[in-house]
Amino acid sequence: MGASATFSMQIAAARPCISNSTRVSTSKIAPLARASFWGSYHAIASPKLVSSRSPVTVSTGKFITRAMSQDTASTGSNGLPIDLRGKRAFIAGIADDNGYGWAIAKALAAAGAEILVGTWVPALNIFETSLRRGKFDESRKLPNGSLMEITKVYPLDAVFDSPEDVPEDIKTNKRYAGSSNWTVKEVAELVKNDFGTIDILVHSLANGPEVSKPLLETSRKGYLAAISASSYSFVSLLQHFLPIMNPGGATLSLTYIASERTIPGYGGGMSSAKAALESDTRVLAFEAGRKGNIRVNTISAGPLGSRAAKAIGFIEKMIDYSYANAPIKKELSADEVGNAAAFLVSPLASAVTGSVVYVDNGLHTMGLAIDSPTLAL
């Protein structure tokens, strides 16, 4: 998965990473030219980072995420706030500012959460440089004018559980030079040493090196790579981060309707990987719930156009299809996925676990394409 392109009908962001000790307060991730492991055929739009401790309101159409100030919290509010103050979130899979992972980070920060990020090692330099140079400052801007902050960015390649799993060709790959401690086990240990605990874990990454191939033409290696990067990576993250998650915490991943419906062109085992991810969500909801009082959910997001998604080749057609056939006739915004995520990891969703939550303008409900030429006959 190290050097392969990242594809998942979710396309969230390429995969940048920042060195273990790098602190970031200027965060705007530079767009990567190619899809990456951290991209997912869903990620797309352009969320913005927010000052993690500032009271802000992020509004997208009819959707509003509000973080309350101390004064507001003590005197009451006209609305029902999503309050994540005092919570710490680790989000795996952010590489630029136009994916679902970024949108989720923005929404959680707007609600008051502290943001930690895990980014794909080969994308680290671009990501770090763009953050440092302020290339993403515009997309970090909040409604109140402040900028969202990322407390720390860790290099991460979630395809490898521990140093022993890393093959020699990856260890010597120049794209990994200069970075260390980036396997799942090592990153979890670093987060523990740096911060002690977290409350929220978000999996926003996927990779299907043969995603453009029909399943009948997919190799065993390509199929297993898709499963490893897109579904087992979530199992591994939760396995290693669960010991440092505070009871009552929540985890979240991103899936796609191809898990249950046929999407021609979304191949290479990616549909199988998404189906596995949804099944794992249910099983892990029980296991993590009983073991650590941790909730586990996944969001099935509709198609949006990001660099990673465009690498597959037909994302624009999928967006047009969704617009023409979904019950709610509008393009989906990454911020809407971010807002749904903020709700799911908040105390307001304390009884919601093991669920696949559709954020796709209702497209998943349709059994017939109403724009089909055959309906006009």
Side-chain angles (χ1 to χ4, degrees):
M1 139 133 238
S4 61
T6 291
F7 300 107
S8 108
M9 201 72 171
Q10 224 168 215
I11 301 194
R15 324 188 238 181
C17 296
I18 292 183
S19 60
N20 306 333
S21 60
T22 302
R23 291 184 67 81
V24 179
S25 62
T26 312
S27 124
K28 189 187 178 198
I29 315 162
L32 297 185
R34 60 188 282 285
S36 71
F37 169 71
W38 302 92
S40 88
Y41 204 73
H42 268 115
I44 301 161
S46 64
K48 294 148 191 172
L49 288 185
V50 183
S51 175
S52 59
R53 295 303 179 190
S54 303
V56 295
T57 298
V58 176
S59 176
T60 303
K62 297 179 180 178
F63 303 92
I64 297 178
T65 300
R66 177 181 295 112
M68 297 171 63
S69 66
Q70 293 292 343
D71 291 342
T72 304
S74 61
T75 60
S77 169
N78 292 327
L80 182 64
I82 292 179
D83 189 355
L84 297 178
R85 288 171 300 168
K87 305 297 183 180
R88 182 177 297 117
F90 182 88
I91 304 173
I94 294 182
D96 60 21
D97 65 342
N98 72 348
Y100 282 149
W102 179 280
I104 292 172
K106 174 186 171 181
L108 301 193
E114 180 179 12
I115 305 300
L116 309 178
V117 169
T119 311
W120 189 45
V121 185
L124 172 61
N125 289 336
I126 294 177
F127 183 60
E128 183 178 21
T129 299
S130 298
L131 288 171
R132 187 169 56 244
R133 294 180 178 178
K135 290 186 177 181
F136 301 140
D137 283 358
E138 184 59 33
S139 63
R140 292 176 57 212
K141 193 174 297 183
L142 304 178
N144 69 349
S146 63
L147 300 180
M148 175 186 151
E149 298 179 3
I150 296 179
T151 300
K152 188 169 183 178
V153 180
Y154 295 84
L156 169 67
D157 194 327
V159 165
F160 304 108
D161 299 325
S162 65
E164 296 73 32
D165 299 324
V166 183
E168 194 60 32
D169 64 319
I170 294 296
K171 292 179 181 178
T172 58
N173 190 310
K174 63 181 182 180
R175 296 196 298 170
Y176 285 75
S179 295
S180 60
N181 303 315
W182 40 259
T183 64
V184 177
K185 178 181 179 181
E186 292 172 303
V187 173
E189 291 174 346
L190 287 173
V191 172
K192 178 181 180 179
N193 292 336
D194 293 340
F195 300 97
T197 62
I198 65 171
D199 304 278
I200 299 165
L201 176 65
V202 178
H203 174 278
S204 177
L205 53 91
N207 180 48
E210 298 181 18
V211 67
S212 61
K213 292 184 179 182
L215 190 56
L216 280 174
E217 298 175 16
T218 299
S219 68
R220 181 183 296 272
K221 181 179 180 181
Y223 184 93
L224 294 178
I227 294 291
S228 173
S230 309
S231 55
Y232 186 77
S233 57
F234 178 57
V235 176
S236 179
L237 280 169
L238 184 52
Q239 188 178 94
H240 289 88
F241 276 85
L242 184 61
I244 66 170
M245 292 191 72
N246 292 316
T251 68
L252 188 69
S253 65
L254 291 167
T255 185
Y256 182 61
I257 192 65
S259 63
E260 55 187 277
R261 306 288 175 83
T262 301
I263 306 293
Y266 189 66
M270 281 305 303
S271 57
S272 305
K274 291 304 181 183
L277 182 63
E278 293 180 15
S279 177
D280 292 343
T281 294
R282 292 183 284 271
V283 176
L284 292 173
F286 171 77
E287 295 184 357
R290 291 302 180 92
K291 187 171 183 178
N293 191 25
I294 300 298
R295 295 183 296 108
V296 183
N297 292 295
T298 187
I299 290 178
S300 182
L304 294 173
S306 75
R307 272 171 299 283
K310 290 177 181 177
I312 296 180
F314 63 98
I315 183 60
E316 294 301 331
K317 292 181 179 179
M318 291 303 298
I319 292 174
D320 291 342
Y321 178 88
S322 178
Y323 184 84
N325 294 286
I328 299 178
K329 193 172 184 179
K330 68 175 182 61
E331 287 193 17
L332 182 66
S333 162
D335 285 343
E336 292 172 312
V337 173
N339 290 337
F343 163 73
L344 287 172
V345 301
S346 78
L348 295 180
S350 60
V352 180
T353 192
S355 297
V356 176
V357 178
Y358 298 92
V359 184
D360 62 356
N361 288 323
L363 184 62
H364 70 282
T365 67
M366 301 301 294
L368 181 68
I370 59 177
D371 65 345
S372 172
T374 58
L375 297 183
L377 300 180

